[in-house]
Structure formats: C-alpha cells, structure tokens
Amino acid sequence: MRAVIVAAAVAFLVSLFGTPIGIKVFTALKAGQPIRSVGPATHQGKKGTPTMGGVVFILATVIAYVAGHVALTTLPEQQIAQVGPTITALVLLGLFVFCGAVGFLDDYLKVRRRNSGGLSGRYKLVGQGLVGVVFGVVALYFPSTNGETVGSTTISFIRDISWLNVGKVVSVMIFIFVVMAASNGVNLTDGLDGLATGASTMVLAAYGLIAFWQYRHWCGDLDYSRGGAYCYAVRDPLEIALIAGAAAGACVGFLWWNTSPARIFMGDTGALGLGGLIGGLAMASRTMLLLLIVGGLFVIITMSVVIQIISFKTTGKRVFRMSPLQHHFELAGWSEVNIVVRFWIIAGIGVAIGLGLFYSEFLTAVG
C-alpha cells in the first residue's frame, strides 16, 4: 500500500505543479485548441486555450511509477510478494505513452493547420491498432517464470471465465479491440471542461482498488495461496495498482487546471492515452467485461454516437440534437457545469456498481 500511496501522491504533485508550466509552454508555442464551427456556439469562447495537456499527466504517471518503486525498495523483501519493473508495467505504461503519442500527432496537426481536422479518423484508428498489436503480443506471448501472462486467453468478467478460452491469436485481437474501444470512448467523452478527466479519475481509482485487492489475495503469493484461500490468478497485481493509482493522482492534479473554465485541455494526447491505459488495466486485471460497468459513462456516450450514425444513415433522422451525448444536453439548454457534474454522478454510479460486483463475487466465493 505504501508504494501505491507514494505513487499517487507524487503523480498528483507533479501534475498539479507541472500543469501551469505546461500551460505556459503550450501557450508560448501557440498550441491553442481549434474549435469546430459545427459545435455548440458556446465553445467558440474556448478557442485558443492551450491543448496537449495530456503530456503533463502522462509524464507525471511515469515519474510516479519510478517513485513508487523507490518506495518499494525501502520495505523488507519478505513484506512484498513481487518486485518490479515488470512486463506488466511495460504493457500498461506503453499503452499510455504510445496511445498518447497517436493523440499528440492528431493535436499537433490541428494546431499546425489551425483547424479541428487533425489526423484523419482512418489513420487515427490505424495508429491505435498498431499500438494494440505490439502490446497485445507482448501481453499474450511473454509469460513470467510461473507461466502467467499480462493478458489472458480466456474472456474475463470479474476473473477469467475458464470455459471461454479463445486462444492466443483471438485474444490478441480482443486486446486490440478493447484498447481501441476504450481510447475512443474516453476521446468521445472529452469535450467539456473536466468531464473526461473526472470520469477517468474515478475509473482509474476503481482499478487501483481492484488490483490492490487482487494483490492481497494473489495466487502468486505462496503464503496466501498455500492456505487454500480463494485467490486471483493475475500477473503483477501490485504493478497494476501502482500504475492505476499514479494515473488517478495525476488526473486529479490536472483537473485542478482543467475544470471549468479550463486553463488547458488534455487534447487527444490525454484522451487516447487514458483510454489506452484503462483498456490495458481491464485486460491485465482480468476484468474485461466488468469495464463495461466500471466505465459505464464511456459506454453510454459511445453508444450515443453509434445510435446517431445508424439512425441518420438508415432513416435520415437524428435521435439527438448533437452527438456525443453531452452536446445534446448543451443544445437543450443545460449549463456546462451541470452536465459535467451530472455525468460525473453517472460515472460514479457505474464505478460503485462495478466495485460492488467485484467484491460481492469474492464474498460469495469464500463464503
């Protein structure tokens, strides 16, 4: 627990005090956010707000990960059941950094061209797919000394569902899909001051709790598993908890400056990076289907876009005034702050239900 707390605290402080530096740097570089002319009219007042803020909390998370491992070295070896760095960290931080890099390219093109076009949707998906392929292969084909891989060959809900074994090749494809779906889900949720940051913080904190619980009841801890206790067959759960906690802390520090009225936007750099990390956390913790509940807000907002597209292409009519869903409520007259807070509540409900299901499954199993 000490390492997770240290990582979260360091990430929070680096992000909190590093974001103003990022604001000055990106302002000096004239990296202002272009605003789409077809968006809500109220967004035109945000034109020129510096973007690419995701660089700050991605960097803060990486620094905090190192700090967390420094904290681990202060513990007696017998008090910890695993010591990193690990392949799990490589996969999770790799997804965070390289999905963020795809978003950074998109943001850079927007700023350079002075329009909201950026990287075309096709090439953005290709970039996300390539990142997913690389780290999906690493997650499925590089086992630890006890044979555990970061990803699993079975579909998982709260843990692996043993009878749903799909093999390594299909599992890599599923890994890619989850990473792409999560990164685009967070990206679609972005667009109002603090909305995606706050929702992501809740989801990341939830995965920090899930992973730490798995660590305390880990099959890799022989002192625990030898007792016949109900354990979790997850690789490197402490690493998962440490990274999730660090990312959550970094997002809280960034939210101080990103909340309404935002002094800086995370941009696609932050949104794609966070989504990639969240998808990776779900796969590494063997809670893939649980992500649909824990990340319920992202699912709802993504489905609003899917419904809008299908409805318009098949009937020529729109279900919503504008998609994603948050813009529908903007055009309906809700204030931006009201939308953000109410959507945060929805995100919190999804997280609470997800954590409740996770813990109740454990109680049922050991009871």
Side-chain angles (χ1 to χ4, degrees):
M1 177 61 81
R2 181 191 300 180
V4 177
I5 293 174
V6 167
V10 169
F12 168 73
L13 292 172
V14 172
S15 187
L16 179 66
F17 294 107
T19 301
I21 298 173
I23 293 171
K24 292 179 181 178
V25 170
F26 292 126
T27 299
L29 294 175
K30 298 182 179 179
Q33 176 70 50
I35 304 297
R36 293 187 305 165
S37 58
V38 296
T42 55
H43 285 207
Q44 295 304 315
K46 301 180 181 184
K47 187 175 181 179
T49 302
T51 186
M52 301 184 187
V55 169
V56 178
F57 58 72
I58 291 174
L59 182 61
T61 302
V62 174
I63 293 172
Y65 172 76
V66 175
H69 273 280
V70 171
L72 278 179
T73 62
T74 66
L75 293 173
E77 188 173 346
Q78 65 271 21
Q79 290 187 15
I80 53 175
Q82 65 176 121
V83 178
T86 63
I87 290 292
T88 300
L90 172 67
V91 170
L92 295 178
L93 293 177
L95 287 171
F96 201 12
V97 171
F98 286 98
C99 284
V102 174
F104 182 86
L105 178 59
D106 183 48
D107 288 333
Y108 172 77
L109 291 176
K110 289 177 183 177
V111 169
R112 183 177 180 183
R113 297 170 180 172
R114 303 298 180 193
N115 65 58
S116 59
L119 194 64
S120 71
R122 178 185 303 175
Y123 289 118
K124 194 183 296 185
L125 290 174
V126 169
Q128 293 169 297
L130 288 174
V131 173
V133 168
V134 171
F135 291 104
V137 170
V138 174
L140 270 300
Y141 285 89
F142 289 82
S144 61
T145 53
N146 66 356
E148 286 287 351
T149 53
V150 178
S152 175
T153 57
T154 62
I155 305 298
S156 60
F157 178 43
I158 292 174
R159 60 179 72 235
D160 285 338
I161 305 171
S162 58
W163 54 273
L164 283 179
N165 194 312
V166 295
K168 287 189 176 182
V169 174
V170 175
S171 294
V172 170
M173 295 172 65
I174 293 173
F175 186 97
I176 297 166
F177 173 78
V178 171
V179 168
M180 293 178 68
S183 59
N184 284 298
V186 176
N187 197 27
L188 291 172
T189 303
D190 194 22
L192 299 185
D193 295 351
L195 176 56
T197 310
S200 296
T201 300
M202 295 182 210
V203 175
L204 290 165
Y207 272 107
L209 292 173
I210 287 171
F212 191 76
W213 184 263
Q214 291 174 331
Y215 173 64
R216 295 303 300 267
H217 305 86
W218 184 35
C219 296
D221 185 347
L222 296 181
D223 289 337
Y224 180 84
S225 59
R226 278 185 187 137
Y230 196 52
C231 62
Y232 294 92
V234 176
R235 176 172 175 172
D236 308 321
L238 184 58
E239 288 282 82
I240 301 171
L242 194 154
I243 292 170
C251 283
V252 174
F254 182 76
L255 184 60
W256 183 274
W257 306 100
N258 182 236
T259 194
S260 183
R263 295 274 306 279
I264 188 171
F265 299 139
M266 70 166 68
D268 280 18
T269 305
L272 296 186
L274 283 172
L277 174 60
I278 289 170
L281 290 169
M283 300 302 287
S285 62
R286 313 292 170 87
T287 56
M288 180 180 73
L289 296 179
L290 189 65
L291 178 58
L292 295 173
I293 300 172
V294 175
L297 178 65
F298 303 139
V299 175
I300 291 169
I301 288 177
T302 301
M303 289 307 300
S304 73
V305 175
V306 173
I307 291 169
Q308 186 86 322
I309 292 172
I310 292 175
S311 175
F312 187 74
K313 288 192 173 181
T314 56
T315 68
K317 297 180 180 179
R318 293 180 172 85
V319 176
F320 307 104
R321 290 181 170 90
M322 181 180 289
S323 65
L325 188 61
Q326 60 268 33
H327 299 318
H328 166 83
F329 289 105
E330 276 192 287
L331 295 181
W334 290 23
S335 72
E336 181 171 358
V337 173
N338 277 341
I339 297 169
V340 170
V341 172
R342 288 168 181 171
F343 276 37
W344 280 354
I345 293 171
I346 294 171
I349 291 171
V351 165
I353 293 173
L355 288 175
L357 288 172
F358 178 83
Y359 186 58
S360 64
E361 187 270 348
F362 180 83
L363 293 180
T364 301
V366 300

